[in-house]
Amino acid sequence: MSRTDVAARTRAATVPAQPSVDTTAPWLRTPSAAPGVFRVRPLTGEATASYVQRLADTYQLALPQLLDGAGITLTGYGTPPTVELHLSPAACHHLAALARIPLPHLTRALPRLAPNDAAHGTEAAARWKRLEAEQQPVRACTQCTRHRSHGTTDTAWIHWPPYRLVCPRHQQAAPDPRLTTPIHTQGVPELAAAHLAHQRLLRHPRASTAWTAARAITTRWYDHQRHLTHRWHIRLNQLIAANTHLTTTSSASPALLARDLVIYPETVTLARTLAALPHQPHRTTDDALSLIAHRLGLPRLASNANDPLRTFLTHTRH
């Protein structure tokens, strides 16, 4: 389907209503759009710009050409993952029609698609918006992407939730948006095991709180080289050996780029243990520390009044 075909079908589907028709009816306020030829499924959590780019790749068009052919006016320019594409409500309907996916389904898959920009009014419009570093999506699994792109591309960007840090099926991970190539995890089997344990953690009612606390604690340990430094150093070297691109990304060191991945197994273990601890235990804090050390495979956790885990146990659970 060429750009000309898309434009022609869109114009044909938006012929003005006859005078006898009530043009104030709600179902007429959003212009209709022509359905596309291909149905490209979004990845869960995918950035809107990433999905539109994959849709354009399927039609062998540039992203601005695809939007223009679908009757969507694009303002500015940009390239994922540093920017996101914001669509007006009318543009969202045009995109859903072109993609042949109901808008509610598309909105559930694309977390940034939900139309909330009233400034566009009824116009089908799109604009680029720059993202802060902490808001930027990460590179999706290349094999999952190719499977959902009719084989046209292996590049997609996802707002990756922490419980899907690893793709266990294809043994890939992308823990940092500065990485333009995923990390291969075949040589570190404990990462796939941690992914499965994380799925079990999600069933616990305190999963979210426990995960947030555990990640803050293990990140602090990693940055200050405490408790698990030797184990994490070995794991980092294993990842570097299988992913030489970690050493050629000039924006950050391998230790920083792979941090979330390196600490992932222990973060999941700690989160599961914290989630299972009662709010007002009969045990002392030292008992809890001994249990956690055992779960982490350590003989003990060095006693330190300023340790973030001891602080959490002392001030949160009593």
Side-chain angles (χ1 to χ4, degrees):
M1 185 177 184
S2 68
R3 175 190 175 189
T4 303
D5 293 334
V6 174
R9 297 183 68 177
T10 302
R11 286 194 298 270
T14 56
V15 174
Q18 295 300 318
S20 60
V21 178
D22 180 10
T23 57
T24 63
W27 61 275
L28 285 175
R29 290 174 188 169
T30 299
S32 60
V37 174
F38 300 108
R39 187 174 187 271
V40 178
R41 290 186 298 159
L43 296 162
T44 302
E46 188 169 6
T48 303
S50 171
Y51 177 70
V52 176
Q53 182 62 65
R54 288 199 302 115
L55 192 59
D57 291 338
T58 302
Y59 286 99
Q60 299 184 23
L61 296 171
L63 185 148
Q65 292 176 324
L66 180 85
L67 294 179
D68 180 52
I72 300 173
T73 303
L74 177 63
T75 301
Y77 58 91
T79 304
T82 58
V83 294
E84 179 58 295
L85 194 62
H86 284 228
L87 303 183
S88 69
C92 289
H93 284 274
H94 280 238
L95 177 65
L98 180 63
R100 296 173 57 197
I101 296 176
L103 183 56
H105 296 179
L106 200 59
T107 302
R108 281 196 294 271
L110 308 179
R112 303 295 178 93
L113 178 64
N116 56 9
D117 189 354
H120 289 311
T122 59
E123 180 187 2
R127 62 183 177 86
W128 292 105
K129 183 177 180 181
R130 181 163 294 278
L131 297 173
E132 299 296 332
E134 63 275 9
Q135 299 175 316
Q136 292 178 15
V138 297
R139 179 77 180 265
C141 171
T142 57
Q143 294 189 52
C144 289
T145 302
R146 182 164 288 278
H147 176 69
R148 293 204 176 190
S149 304
H150 299 278
T152 58
T153 182
D154 61 8
T155 301
W157 299 92
I158 292 184
H159 295 284
W160 203 253
Y163 58 85
R164 296 190 62 204
L165 183 67
V166 176
C167 176
R169 180 179 181 182
H170 300 120
Q171 300 186 66
Q172 290 187 19
D176 192 285
R178 287 168 291 195
L179 288 169
T180 56
T181 302
I183 295 176
H184 296 281
T185 62
Q186 293 94 327
V188 193
E190 60 265 35
L191 293 175
H195 173 83
L196 293 176
H198 203 163
Q199 308 316 300
R200 292 193 291 271
L201 168 66
L202 295 175
R203 303 169 192 158
H204 197 284
R206 297 207 300 268
S208 179
T209 301
W211 170 260
T212 300
R215 186 174 180 274
I217 291 167
T218 53
T219 299
R220 179 89 175 271
W221 286 351
Y222 183 88
D223 291 343
H224 293 270
Q225 300 186 359
R226 292 187 58 80
H227 304 308
L228 297 154
T229 301
H230 179 67
R231 184 188 307 177
W232 284 339
H233 184 69
I234 293 174
R235 190 175 297 151
L236 176 61
N237 284 338
Q238 290 173 329
L239 290 171
I240 292 175
N243 300 274
T244 55
H245 62 280
L246 282 171
T247 62
T248 59
T249 302
S250 58
S251 58
S253 68
L256 182 58
L257 292 171
R259 178 176 62 187
D260 282 354
L261 203 56
V262 170
I263 67 176
Y264 186 51
E266 289 72 28
T267 303
V268 173
T269 299
L270 178 58
R272 294 185 71 192
T273 307
L274 293 178
L277 290 175
H279 284 300
Q280 295 180 338
H282 297 294
R283 298 179 179 183
T284 65
T285 296
D286 287 336
D287 289 334
L289 287 171
S290 296
L291 173 64
I292 292 170
H294 174 72
R295 296 282 176 82
L296 291 174
L298 297 172
R300 64 185 179 88
L301 286 167
S303 180
N304 185 328
N306 296 322
D307 188 90
L309 177 57
R310 177 176 285 276
T311 300
F312 174 81
L313 293 173
T314 301
H315 297 287
T316 306
R317 297 171 56 248
H318 293 287

